[in-house]
Each structure stands twice: as C-alpha cells, then as structure tokens.
Amino acid sequence: MAKKLKLRWIILGLLVLLFLFSSIIVNFYVDILWFQEVGYLNTFFKMLGTNWGLRGVQIVIFFLFFLVNFMVLKKVIFQRFLQQTSSNIINIGGQETDLSFLENLPGRRANLLLGGISLLLAVIFSVANPEAWRQFLFFLNGTDFGMVDPILGMDVGFYVFELPFLRFVFESGLILLVVTLVIAAAGYFLLTRPSLRSYKIPPLAQKHLMVLAGLLMFWRAWGYRLDIYRLMFSREGVVFGPGYVDATVRIPVFNILSIALVIIGLVTIFSIFLRSKKPVLYLIVGWLVVAFALTTVYPNVIQRFRVEPNEFAREEQYIANNIEFTNFGFNLHQIEERAHPFTGELNWDIIEEHSGTIENLRIWDWRPILQTYRQLEERRPYYVFNRIDIDRYEIDGELRQVMLAPRELDQNLLPERAKTWVNQALRYTHGFGMAMSPVNTATPEGFPDLIMRDIPPIYPDDIPLDNPSIYFGEMENDFVVAKNASQEFHFPSGDENIYYDYSGDGGIPIQNTLRRLLFALRFNSFQILLAGDINPESRLMFDRSIHERIRKIAPFLAYDADPYTVIHNGRIVWIQDAYTVTDLFPYSEVSREGINYIRNSVKIVIDAYHGSVDFYVVDEEDPIIQTYQKIFPDMFKSIEDFPEGLEKHFRYPEDIFSIQSRMLTTYHMRDPRVFYNREDQWELPQERYGGSTINMTPYYTLMELPGEEELNFILMTPFTPIGRNNMVSWLAAKCDPENYGEIIQYNFPKDRLVFGPMQIEAQIDQSDEISRLISLWDQHGSRVIRGNLLVLPIGDTVLYVEPLFLQSEQAEIPQLRRIIMATGERVVMEPNIEMALEALLGEKIPEELEGLIDEDILPEEELLLEEEEELILEEELPLEEEIPSEEEPPVFPVTENGDLNDLISRAQQAYDRAQEALKEGDWATYGSQQEILREILEEMAILIEEEGLDEQF
C-alpha cells in the first residue's frame, strides 16, 4: 500500500512538473521544427547545447564546492555543540535556538539538506552570462590575427577570442570563493559562539577560513595578471589603449601585487600550523594599504608631475599604436588615397567624357519619392511601402540606376471589421509586387517615371517579375497558414479579388493533429486546432520578418539597418549585410556604437517567397568569421557559391561606411604630432532638407570616378574641416563585384577653395530668382521641399545637384518641379537636366550630345509655366509712377467692339483661377485657364490695334 501511495505521489509530481514546464517544452519543440525547416538545426543545437552545457558545468562546480565547505562547517558545528557540550541551546543573532533536533537527524538526511542548500546557492550565484557560450566556443576555436600588440607581444586573437572566457572563469571563481568565505565566516560566528565575550573560533574553523582566504588570494593574484591584459583597453591616457602611465607604472605594479598576493596566500595557508593568526591579519591589512597606494596614488602622481609637463613626448609611441590599430580595426588602412586636382572648369567636353555620370544623375530624393510611391502605388489600405532602395539594373542594354520598393502587406492596416482570425491567419498572407523608377526621369506632372508598377505588375522585359509574392519581408506580421482550403488573397483586380494557393517550400508542414495541437498551444490560438480549412498539406509560417528570421538563426552577428530587395530570376529576394564586430581589439578607439573592430564579412540572401536563408562569406580574411566557420561548419557558404547574377547587385552597406567615414574624420591623420594637436580634424557636412538643417548622409550613385573610364556603382560622402564649410575630401566605396569593398579617398588641393554643401545651400538661399519662386510656391496650401543635395565630382571640378519638390497640403504627393544645379561660382534652376546644364555653362548643348540626356522632365507646357512665373516676378517688382491707386482704378474707353475694362476683368479672373489651380496642383484646370487667358489677351490686342489705343499702353 505504501509503495502504491509513493508511486501515486511520484506520478502526481511528474504531472505537476509537466504542467509547469509545458510552455517551455512546446516552445522548444516548435523551435526545433522551425530550425529544421530553415536548415540550421545543427546551429540551434550547437548554441543551445553549449549554453546549457556550460551553465550546467558551472552549477555542478559551484554545487560541489559549496557542499564540501558545508560538510566542513557541519562537522565543526556538530563537534562543538553536539559532542563537546552538554547544552543544546545556542545563541544565534541574539536569540536562543535549540539544536537538539540535529542529534536525531540521520547523516543521510543532513547531507540531503546541505545538498539542497548547496544546489540552490549554486543556481543563484552561478553567473548567467548570455555571452558565455560564444566566449567558450571562441576560446576553443580562436584564430590568430597575425598582428601582435607592441607592449605585451600577444597576438590580437588572444584578446578577442581567449581573454573574454578567461575573464568569465575568473569572475565566476571570484564569486564562488567570496560567497563561500562569507557564508563560512558567518556560519562559524553565528553557530559556534555562546556569547561575544567568550567567543573563540574552533581550530578546525580557523584552518577552514585560512585555506579559503589563501585560495581567494591566489585567485586574485591571477586576476591581476588578467588586469594587465585589460590595460590594452585603457581609457586613462590621451588616446584609447595603454599610455605612458599604463605601460611604465600600472603593468609593473600589477606584476608586483600579483607576486605579493601569491606569497601572502602561501603564508595564510601555512598559518594553520601557527598558534597566532594576527601576523597574517596584519600582512593582509598592510597589503591593502600598499595596493591602494600603488594602484591609485602612484599613477596619479606620475601622470601629474612627469607626463603632463611633456605629454606628447611621453605619449608619442602610444598615440602611434592607437592610430595603427584603429586604422586596422575599422579597415581604414585599406583605403587608397588619391589626389583630386581641382580646376573648377566645366564644359561640354567634360560632360561628354562623363556621360555615364550625367545619364544617371539622381534627381529624386528617397524621402519625397517614398511618399509619392505610397500615394500612387499602394492601391489598398493594407499595402505599404516601407522604404526606398537604390540599385542598378541593365535596361535596354544600358546600366541604369533605379529606385525601387516592395509592396508589402500589413495586417494591422486591415479595416477593423476585417480583422478576423480567418482573414489574418488564412487569407491576407502576403504582399505583392514592386514599384521601380529611374533616378533621373520624371513624368510631365512631376511624378516618378514608373517602369515597374500596378497590380498585377507591369515590368520591363529586362527585369521580369514572374512571381511577385512577398511572404517574408520587413513587416512584423503574425503567423499565417499558407496553402489552405479557403485560398489566400493574391491581389485586387477591379471590383474582384484574385485568390491563390501557395506552392513554395516556406513554413512548417502541419502534417498531423499533434502538430496542430502544439502550434495552437505555442501561438495561443486554438483556431489552428479547430479550423476546417487547415489540412495536412498546409504550411505554418511564423517569424516571417527577415529581421527576426536572421537574428534567430545567427544572433552572434551584427546587422546593417537597411536590407534591400533585388529582382532575381523572376522573383523577389532580400539581401542583408552582416558584420563581425568586437570591442576587444586592443589600442583601437571605440566608436559611438561601442565597437572598435568591424568587417562586412557576410551577405545573407532571403527568398521572399520560400523564406530560405543563406549566409555567404564575402571577407574570407577576417579572423572572426574564420572562427565562426570553425564553430558552425555547415552554416556559411563560400562567396563562390553566390547565386549567379545576384552579385551584380552588391552594395557596400551604409552602416559600416558611416562608421568608417566618422572614424576617418580623425584617423586620416597618420602623423602622431598632427593627430595629437588635431591640426587637420574633419567632420561630416550638413545640408538643408525641407526647411531644416540636417546631417548629410552617404548616398549611392552610378558614376565614372576621376581617372577611371568605367561606370562604378559607389557609396560616397564628402568631408569638410571641423568648424568650416569648405570641402577638403570625399570618400567613395565601390560596390561592383569585381572590386567590391575598395575604398578611395580623394583629397582636394589645400590651396584651392572647393565649396562644401552648406556653402552651396547658402548660395541657393541668396539667389533672388530661386528665393522668389520658392516664396511664391511655399504659400497658400503648398509646401516646397528642397531635396537631397548631391555632390558629384566630375573631371577636375564638382557638380552640385539639388531637386526641388512641390507638395500640396491637401494631397501629400510631392511633385518634382525644378532642378537646382551649381558649380560653386554659379547657381541655376531649370525644369530639366539639359536646360540646367545649358544655363550653367551659358551655351546650348552641342548637336553631337543631343539625346545624351533624357528629356522626360517637365515638357514644353511646363516652360509656359516658367514664363508665366517670370511675368509674376516682374509684376511683383515696384514700378514708380505706374502703380495705380487702389481708390482710382484705371478706366479704359468703351469702344465699338466691346468694353476693354470687361476684357481686363475677365483676364484677371482667368489669371486668378490659374494661380489657384497651380497651388492645388490641378494642372488640367491650370492649362484650361491659361488657354482662356491667351484668347482674352489676343482679343485685347486686336481691340487695342483697331481702336488706335497703342499710345495709351
């Protein structure tokens, strides 16, 4: 009977545990299915197994150490109170406690009790470090950098791969020893003293505490050795990394303290054979005083009286170390420097030599065009364009720079009544199609010239989009079940909807009822279990956001903030750039992102239809990615296996380029003295956008670099001296696969003035013609948007281009209205690129260059608008003696052919209506009123001539 009762209790306990841990078990099993579906199950088990295995080993070590010490503690207590005294009453913290129950407590139960306490303490005090698993695998698989630190002679790989785990071991051991020592001391003090006056530590307790104290000192002595390595990341000197005081004072001090602690630890342990322990206590107190003086007072004295009076001479070699290692850490040492001779000359011959640059001149800003895409191409409230990407495609045999955006579906934007479980889980499952337009053309209305548009998509023959479905994208939608009996909404077609059955490989097959139950529990959605439209062939898709997807697979990589879409082999894929980073690169300055080493080592391809994720190594020389390849041999693929044709869409990522540009503002100064004095400090420029001043961001462009004939797709940014606005240099990173990652720094002559972005913006502001037109437009329900200023080096000069957009407050559809172009000495504003170049150069385009530039920007009818605006500007100028009084309007004679006053009134009405239509962006009404105004003016001209009134006008 007792055995049956015991069995029932065991079964009940197991059921309770199963209930308590059911959520963990379900999530774990579903994660296994998910990683199996994406093909990274081994990676999942490697990360999880190492993490829990390391924590388990740590807990076991802590448990055994606590248990052994508790056994000693128990032995002392039992000896003193249960065997050597006649009283079972002791004083614990001022209260009398009866320990007689310990006399009858069997040894096995006492050990179980102590074991339980040891296990609890082990779980509590073991260090739950989420990075420990990676540090351990780095420690086992580290790769040499082939670069040695100049002070300690260690390969950089030691600091990146080995030191973090050694620090983890040290900190764990330090916690273990300190906690054990405190518990043992407190236990002996509270459980073995009858009163404070007669208190005396038992001999065995003294030996126990001395051994623990000696071990703690040995451990701290090792910590001083590790502290020496940590000085390679010191922030105490004039630059990051060890300085004069660190190298000549702190390193010797830490060595002395380490040796001293070993000696003190030995003395402490051997003191168990001495009758008096006071010498040991005096030795420890003396060491603490000396340690404080040597680690705090002494370095400050040396810094104040030896370094600061002659700082550069003392710190020069350490500044040089910082410059060298920072340049390596951010890959600045690979930048090629070139001189960019600046003459400022621009003519048609130079334009012809750089025709590729002019043909791909970007006149669209990604911010206004995103709004326009949303207004023109989203079509339904649940479709969204998240961001604009810039890329290049071959169209009609020519390489063209384009802007594009995927049309994703956001379930949160469904009408409230449509947010049913069936709609969100079974029907509205995917986005559809793309919008694409060249960067250098516009429609007559000032809208993007969409070469890929509509639903279903219309696309160029050169860029087929056979499968426009987007199941995996940037939107953070909930799970969906594809390939279900109710069919999925595919796209709208007039008043009807087109439905679709998924035929891809994405998602986890439902297969059976058990899986349906597990999925229902995992997502807290029992409709999955009950829905009749779900069948064994259905596929459950979750973690569909590419941001979640890649980070779940590889949480140890850093990721660029801007994944981008590419149309490849008739369907949409995402390319995500990933980085290997660390903050443990010695001597290297830490960026504002908290890192001092970064490489763009990995490119990830995510299929928007199938959801497949592939990691490709693009920088095989990076020691960190080499280490990850050792750890996860099945995860990374060679760049040679990259899908054919997709490499044409490589882009050097913006995040790393921005970090490198920012670091280069200081670390282009390679000479330690120049660096120390900050004689040539740069900064990234600012520009005007809308009505605000903003920091200029890097931008992609397709151009011929100075001295090169081939078109290059590059990412570039200019530099200005700190506190000044003229331009001194610019940086370009090549994106094309044959020279991917090559970075060139072009330096302008120091004796020539090259205008920077804000100086050009100031010239635009000071232009009377431009300011008047902007003022005219920027009122009465309209807003002028000054777009992104592009700085484009062409030949031995620089061309500045800024688009001008007009946006009605009623309809937020920015329209491209003008192009501002400048060379520094002259600023012009015209309706299109060709006219702007003609105005800038002061002569018509040569016949041989006609057709070089697309003429899709603002056709002839817009030229009439420009002429009209010039008339308006002329009318706004004050004319003395000709301004009639408002009280006495001019009266013209009544003629046989009609009333001239009536014609003038009608002309004024037509003009006013045209101006209102202009402000509203109603070009049809504007055109009709202009035609009416023209007819009235012709009638007035005839009337004036017939009546002989010419002299009055």
Side-chain angles (χ1 to χ4, degrees), residues 801-822:
V801 180
E802 181 173 283
L804 199 67
F805 302 90
L806 185 64
Q807 176 178 296
S808 168
E809 292 181 358
Q810 286 75 23
E812 294 188 359
I813 311 180
Q815 295 170 285
L816 179 65
R817 300 269 39 101
R818 289 292 184 271
I819 297 168
I820 300 172
M821 198 173 287

Side-chain angles (χ1 to χ4, degrees), residues 569-586:
N569 289 341
R571 66 174 187 269
I572 300 168
V573 298
W574 297 86
I575 296 181
Q576 169 73 66
D577 284 282
Y579 307 116
T580 50
V581 301
T582 184
D583 60 351
L584 295 171
F585 199 81

Side-chain angles (χ1 to χ4, degrees), residues 308-329:
E308 291 182 3
N310 195 13
E311 189 173 52
F312 176 73
R314 302 291 185 194
E315 300 283 6
E316 181 178 4
Q317 71 178 88
Y318 307 105
I319 294 174
N321 292 339
N322 172 263
I323 294 173
E324 178 187 358
F325 279 76
T326 301
N327 273 273
F328 187 91

